[in-house]
Amino acid sequence: MILRELLPAGRQLLEEKFQVTSLGLDADRSQMKAAAAGADGLVTDLTFAVDDELLGAAGPQLKVVANFGVGYDNVDLAACAARGVTVTNTPGALTNATAELALALAMAAARDLPAAEKDLREGAWQGWDPRRWRGFELSGASIGVVGAGRIGGRFMELVAGFGGERLYTSRQPKPDLENRLGAERVELDELLARSDLISLHLPGSRESRHLIDERALRLMKRTAVLVNTGRGTLVDSAALIRALKEDRIGAAGLDVYEGEPDFDPGFLTAPRVALAPHIGSATYRSRDEMSRLVAANVIAVLEGREPPNPVPGV
Ligand code: GLV
């Protein structure tokens, strides 16, 4: 029932109650379909599509798809709903980890840390130079959070110490962020134009695809730092690479990519980028807690109870 891998913190909870089969990280699609056959629950993750074909291969007894992650753009919710399959995710567990990585990428990109370290490692360092490696300071910067949900809100808390203005976009106003952190809700275009640092915290969806495109990039300041720890699809990679190469924006920090684990190789030669391989939730605490949540969701559904983290609308 585990189509790739669940960490022991969650797997043990499942094994106490159910027969658990796990395919490992290299499982291919046909192995997944074969292993899903007859399962009551599937543990899935963002690396593969949970579509009608996979649900059909599992069979009509399937009751729950527990996605190991907060995002569920890999899951066809309509197909699950049509088959009466509950979908769950792991919100909350990775909020701190992901917000902290966004901050790490923001600071690394703003100071071009990866390139500076590369210079040092390659023996190219010629000594202290007053002109070289000048980057952007975040103290006093206007910071824009696109999608002020759990992770975006936590990111805003973390950057509050920089002391500049804080802007956000959100479908709903966030009185807590406004009262506690002095945040101001604005339209996306205004946020892009006013912010020195822009951090994306939206889920991947058809509506959010290429939210940051050529037009959006041209609205940003030439010194703006763009950070994406949400989904690769939020950003038009080719447009971002062009903007970096043409010095139209300041820097970018990325943890997620269109088509990952593939990514546009242009990022490797673009200046002022900090790149991470989708590790937003990768802390010991977060990944263990996510694993436990996956198990708690599966157990609840298979024991006929409401799961702690049902995905809305299924
Ligand atoms: C990771 O990207 C997640 O959605 O949890």
Side-chain angles (χ1 to χ4, degrees):
M1 67 152 64
I2 298 172
L3 290 183
R4 288 177 82 237
E5 188 152 321
L6 188 66
L7 297 179
R11 189 188 165 118
Q12 279 158 9
L13 298 174
L14 290 178
E15 281 171 343
E16 283 167 18
K17 295 186 179 267
F18 311 112
Q19 189 195 329
V20 175
T21 317
S22 171
L23 293 177
L25 297 180
D26 295 331
D28 66 23
R29 188 89 189 151
S30 60
Q31 290 169 320
M32 288 187 194
K33 279 167 42 185
D40 297 303
L42 296 178
V43 174
T44 59
D45 66 53
L46 60 96
T47 63
F48 59 94
V50 181
D51 52 14
D52 200 55
E53 183 196 44
L54 186 64
L55 300 173
Q61 77 300 324
L62 181 68
K63 292 181 192 59
V64 58
V65 164
N67 212 43
F68 186 1
V70 68
Y72 44 82
D73 48 326
N74 58 308
V75 182
D76 183 339
L77 298 185
C80 290
R83 290 175 180 270
V85 173
T86 301
V87 179
T88 67
N89 66 340
T90 66
L94 43 61
T95 299
N96 288 329
T98 308
E100 287 175 21
L101 187 82
L103 179 56
L105 286 171
M107 298 184 81
R111 301 297 289 274
D112 209 5
L113 211 49
E117 182 181 351
K118 184 164 174 279
D119 243 32
L120 179 145
R121 285 181 186 271
E122 290 176 351
W125 186 24
Q126 299 290 321
W128 192 84
D129 178 340
R131 286 162 309 212
R132 190 78 181 100
W133 298 118
R134 289 191 290 169
F136 308 107
E137 250 172 64
L138 298 185
S139 294
S142 293
I143 297 182
V145 171
V146 178
R150 273 178 296 260
I151 299 171
R154 179 64 183 140
F155 179 79
M156 198 179 272
E157 281 178 358
L158 294 179
V159 298
F162 288 122
E165 65 177 354
R166 284 170 286 282
L167 310 172
Y168 73 98
T169 65
S170 166
R171 270 200 295 259
Q172 303 295 330
K174 303 283 174 171
D176 175 53
L177 296 179
E178 296 185 10
N179 298 333
R180 213 159 41 85
L181 301 174
E184 182 188 348
R185 182 169 172 239
V186 294
E187 293 298 324
L188 178 65
D189 284 4
E190 184 176 346
L191 181 146
L192 298 176
R194 278 171 65 184
S195 300
D196 299 301
L197 165 62
I198 296 154
S199 194
L200 307 180
H201 297 283
L202 288 174
S205 67
R206 208 172 308 132
E207 298 74 51
S208 67
R209 183 170 182 279
H210 287 190
L211 185 79
I212 303 300
D213 56 7
E214 184 74 32
R215 190 196 75 89
L217 288 158
R218 286 186 185 275
L219 290 176
M220 293 180 197
K221 298 181 184 179
R222 293 187 83 92
T223 51
V225 177
L226 175 69
V227 172
N228 187 11
T229 54
R231 278 292 180 267
T233 51
L234 298 175
V235 177
D236 178 342
S237 309
L240 174 56
I241 290 164
R242 269 196 310 276
L244 287 161
K245 290 190 170 171
E246 293 169 12
D247 282 342
R248 281 188 279 113
I249 71 162
L254 306 174
D255 186 43
V256 287
Y257 306 87
E258 294 185 275
E260 59 184 57
D262 294 332
F263 57 90
D264 191 321
F267 283 123
L268 299 178
T269 50
R272 304 175 311 280
V273 285
L275 306 174
H278 203 149
I279 57 171
S281 67
T283 65
Y284 292 104
R285 186 155 83 175
S286 166
R287 288 277 167 87
D288 279 349
E289 184 57 19
M290 289 165 74
S291 304
R292 281 191 286 269
L293 277 184
V294 166
N297 280 301
V298 172
I299 292 168
V301 175
L302 296 189
E303 291 184 346
R305 288 178 283 110
E306 177 69 9
N309 311 109
V311 165
V314 185

